[in-house]
C-alpha cells in the first residue's frame, strides 16, 4: 500500500494490529479464487469491513506482482457492491468516499482520469437502488489536480 494513498494515510494514522479479527467480526466469507499475488485469500470487491467509525473496503484484485488491476466491468460491479454495503453500514451519518481507482489501480491496462472515474462513480450511484437517505449525504472526495473540474461532471460518460 502506497503511503501517500488514501489507504496508506489512513493506516498511518490508524494502524490495524489484526485485520483478520475485523474480517471475522464482519462475518465476511472469502471468494473461491485466491489472489494471484502470493495465493492470498480474496474478498469480493466493494465489500466493507467496519473499523470503528470507518468502513474499510476490499477494492481490487492483485496480479502476480502485487499490482491492483481490474476491468471496467469489475470496477462497476465493485461500485454496485459498495453502494449496497454503504446502505447496510452507514449508520445514519453522512458518508465520505474518495474517487476509487484514481491512484495506481489499473483499469483495463489504462489509466482513467480522476474526471472519468468520478463520472463513473456518480452514474453508478444514480443507477443504484441503494441510496443514503435524505437529509444525509454521500460526499465524494476529490484531490486537486490538473484537468479536473466539478463543472464538467458527466461529460465523459
Amino acid at each position: 500500500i502506497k503511503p501517500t494513498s488514501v489507504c496508506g494515510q489512513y493506516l498511518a494514522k490508524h494502524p490495524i494490529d489484526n485485520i483478520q479479527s475485523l474480517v471475522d467480526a464482519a462475518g465476511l466469507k472469502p471468494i473461491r479464487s485466491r489472489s494471484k499475488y502470493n495465493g492470498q485469500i480474496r474478498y469480493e470487491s466493494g465489500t466493507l469491513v467496519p473499523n470503528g467509525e470507518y468502513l474499510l473496503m476490499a477494492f481490487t484484485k492483485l496480479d502476480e506482482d502485487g499490482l491492483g488491476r481490474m476491468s471496467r466491468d469489475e470496477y462497476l460491479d465493485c461500485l454496485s457492491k459498495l453502494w449496497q454495503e454503504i446502505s447496510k453500514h452507514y449508520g445514519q451519518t453522512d458518508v465520505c468516499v474518495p474517487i476509487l481507482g484514481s491512484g495506481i489501480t489499473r483499469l483495463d491496462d489504462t489509466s482513467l482520469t480522476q474526471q472519468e472515474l468520478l463520472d463513473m462513480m456518480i452514474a453508478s450511484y444514480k443507477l443504484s437502488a441503494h441510496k443514503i437517505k435524505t437529509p444525509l449525504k454521500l460526499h465524494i472526495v476529490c484531490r486537486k489536480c490538473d484537468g479536473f473540474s466539478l463543472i464538467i461532471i458527466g461529460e465523459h460518460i
Side-chain angles (χ1 to χ4, degrees):
I1 297 173
K2 190 173 180 181
T4 57
S5 70
V6 170
C7 187
Q9 292 176 49
Y10 172 83
L11 290 173
K13 289 182 180 178
H14 308 278
I16 300 172
D17 293 328
N18 187 345
I19 191 74
Q20 191 60 50
S21 66
L22 292 175
V23 170
D24 293 344
L28 292 187
K29 304 288 183 230
I31 58 178
R32 287 185 177 203
S33 62
R34 290 210 168 237
S35 173
K36 290 181 181 179
Y37 183 67
N38 294 336
Q40 296 178 348
I41 294 172
R42 289 182 49 219
Y43 296 90
E44 184 179 0
S45 294
T47 303
L48 296 178
V49 174
N51 185 27
E53 67 179 296
Y54 297 97
L55 298 170
L56 309 179
M57 184 182 80
F59 182 45
T60 186
K61 58 188 174 186
L62 303 177
D63 67 11
E64 297 84 3
D65 299 319
L67 302 174
R69 295 189 184 276
M70 61 190 345
S71 69
R72 286 178 188 250
D73 287 343
E74 289 169 329
Y75 182 74
L76 292 171
D77 289 345
C78 173
L79 292 174
S80 179
K81 179 69 174 179
L82 174 64
W83 307 137
Q84 179 183 357
E85 289 280 297
I86 286 174
S87 178
K88 182 169 58 174
H89 290 289
Y90 77 97
Q92 304 302 313
T93 59
D94 286 356
V95 175
C96 297
V97 296
I99 297 179
L100 300 172
S102 63
I104 57 174
T105 300
R106 290 141 193 88
L107 285 112
D108 290 331
D109 292 324
T110 63
S111 292
L112 296 178
T113 67
Q114 181 174 260
Q115 192 80 49
E116 292 167 322
L117 293 167
L118 176 62
D119 287 347
M120 289 174 72
M121 286 182 71
I122 291 171
S124 169
Y125 185 72
K126 283 181 176 179
L127 293 172
S128 174
H130 304 280
K131 302 276 196 297
I132 294 172
K133 306 294 184 232
T134 305
L136 303 171
K137 295 180 179 152
L138 172 69
H139 302 270
I140 301 176
V141 180
C142 314
R143 79 184 134 78
K144 194 174 190 176
C145 67
D146 291 338
F148 179 78
S149 173
L150 296 177
I151 295 171
I152 59 172
I153 289 175
E155 290 186 11
H156 292 91
I157 297 180

